[in-house]
Amino acid sequence: MKIIDAHVHIYPPEFEKERDKIAEKEPWFDILTQSKVHKWCTAEELIVQMDQDGIESSFVTSFAFYDQGLCKIANDYVLDTAKKYPGRIQPLAVISPVRRGATDEIARCADAGAVGIGELFPDGQHIDISDSSDTWRLAAECDERNLFIMIHTAEQAGHQYNGKGKTGAVEAAKFVRNNPLTKVIFAHFGGGLWAYEAMPEMKLALSNTYYDTAAMPWLFTHEIIDSIFAIGAGHKLLYGSDSPILNLERYKKLLDKTSLTEENLELLLYKNAKKLLEKTKI
């Protein structure tokens, strides 16, 4: 079965070498790269892992910095990687939405082949995604360029962990209401936003919304997948590993326990992401 991984991170080698220097002005980078689960990964290491796991292509991003200059360095690395491995790497660009130069960087990266923007990190980038004054330029530029946006969200219940943040389903729902035409992936199951697909009014509001499975093995049992398909939102769920901290093997153990049909499994692992990619090339 073909597989697309919709949530992958790589880092320019200099980020690891300069970690301490970067961390001095980027506190969330400091927190996340000190986490016991953090792993560095270069483009070449990613391709090796993709080959081992039988991944056809991946949505690849780096780290969402508050500093626009660091975002540009990360983007150059990801975009260069996409040129080196055409078809295997679907590049996403990180931008700091409320800093000067955000829309220019979106345009630059779109012209260079980016298929989306993200994974944006609201807490670390000082963005309130529920506030249209923080997001309208971002959404407008992405709509104009036919790019989707990936935004970090997290369940606002349960245990705390490095990088969880305070952006969840409530904020995500306000984002889509403010920006109804914007194609958006809410990472980590949208912090529970998917459950509101069962409400007719929200199903309409969430027409352009997708969710990924990133970090699932650390947070949820397999029943969450069955539940999403049961309420009719399975066509919006994307397999995302959050590689390099997790890989396909961990997810397969959970997917094997679900009641998904072969057709549903193909949607999750490949067809949903493929369809979203096709929408960016209209």
Side-chain angles (χ1 to χ4, degrees), residues 148-187:
F148 62 81
I149 305 172
M150 178 188 288
I151 302 175
H152 174 91
T153 48
E155 67 297 338
Q156 296 305 299
H159 68 284
Q160 293 298 312
Y161 49 85
N162 287 348
K164 183 172 184 174
K166 296 181 179 180
T167 301
V170 172
E171 293 78 12
K174 289 180 179 178
F175 177 88
V176 298
R177 285 193 178 278
N178 289 336
N179 306 287
L181 300 180
T182 304
K183 296 182 289 293
V184 57
I185 302 170
F186 288 115

Side-chain angles (χ1 to χ4, degrees), residues 73-231:
I73 294 170
N75 293 338
D76 286 343
Y77 183 68
V78 172
L79 291 165
D80 287 346
T81 296
K83 292 176 183 177
K84 187 174 181 180
Y85 301 102
R88 303 297 306 280
I89 304 300
Q90 304 294 341
L92 275 64
V94 288
I95 56 102
S96 190
V98 295
R99 302 295 301 275
R100 180 177 297 177
T103 54
D104 288 342
E105 182 63 4
I106 292 172
R108 183 184 78 89
C109 292
D111 290 342
V115 298
I117 298 299
E119 177 191 12
L120 301 183
F121 188 50
D123 293 75
Q125 296 185 301
H126 309 294
I127 319 162
D128 179 357
I129 66 168
S130 69
D131 186 344
S132 60
S133 65
D134 277 5
T135 64
W136 76 267
R137 292 179 182 84
L138 164 69
E141 189 69 23
C142 288
D143 292 350
E144 178 69 21
R145 296 279 177 170
N146 203 26
L147 304 172
F148 62 81
I149 305 172
M150 178 188 288
I151 302 175
H152 174 91
T153 48
E155 67 297 338
Q156 296 305 299
H159 68 284
Q160 293 298 312
Y161 49 85
N162 287 348
K164 183 172 184 174
K166 296 181 179 180
T167 301
V170 172
E171 293 78 12
K174 289 180 179 178
F175 177 88
V176 298
R177 285 193 178 278
N178 289 336
N179 306 287
L181 300 180
T182 304
K183 296 182 289 293
V184 57
I185 302 170
F186 288 115
H188 317 293
F189 297 98
L193 183 63
W194 63 269
Y196 295 93
E197 294 272 357
M199 296 175 64
E201 65 183 85
M202 287 304 297
K203 191 175 187 68
L204 178 62
L206 298 168
S207 297
N208 288 312
T209 301
Y210 298 79
Y211 315 93
D212 76 31
T213 66
M216 176 186 171
W218 290 332
L219 299 170
F220 301 104
T221 62
H222 67 278
E223 284 92 350
I224 191 172
I225 299 293
D226 287 327
S227 298
I228 292 172
F229 275 87
I231 65 170

Side-chain angles (χ1 to χ4, degrees), residues 4 12 14 33 47 61 66 74 80 82 91 95 103 114 122 135 156 169 174 210 222 226 234 237 244 251 263 278:
I4 293 175
E14 60 265 34
T33 55
I47 292 297
T61 186
Y66 182 60
D80 287 346
I95 56 102
T103 54
T135 64
Q156 296 305 299
K174 289 180 179 178
Y210 298 79
H222 67 278
D226 287 327
L237 186 61
Y251 288 86
E263 182 181 359
E278 289 170 353

Side-chain angles (χ1 to χ4, degrees), residues 14-70:
E14 60 265 34
F15 281 5
E16 182 177 6
K17 295 175 183 177
E18 299 292 330
R19 195 216 79 89
D20 293 347
K21 183 177 180 181
I22 295 171
E24 288 178 2
K25 62 178 182 178
E26 293 282 343
W28 282 91
F29 179 79
D30 186 27
I31 291 170
L32 287 164
T33 55
Q34 285 195 72
S35 168
K36 64 181 180 180
V37 302
H38 174 74
K39 296 178 182 177
W40 299 100
C41 183
T42 64
E44 290 71 27
E45 290 167 337
L46 170 61
I47 292 297
V48 169
Q49 187 65 55
M50 287 173 62
D51 289 342
Q52 290 176 355
D53 290 342
I55 306 294
E56 179 181 279
S57 65
S58 295
F59 294 5
V60 178
T61 186
S62 188
F63 189 88
F65 293 101
Y66 182 60
D67 182 275
Q68 206 75 266
L70 288 170

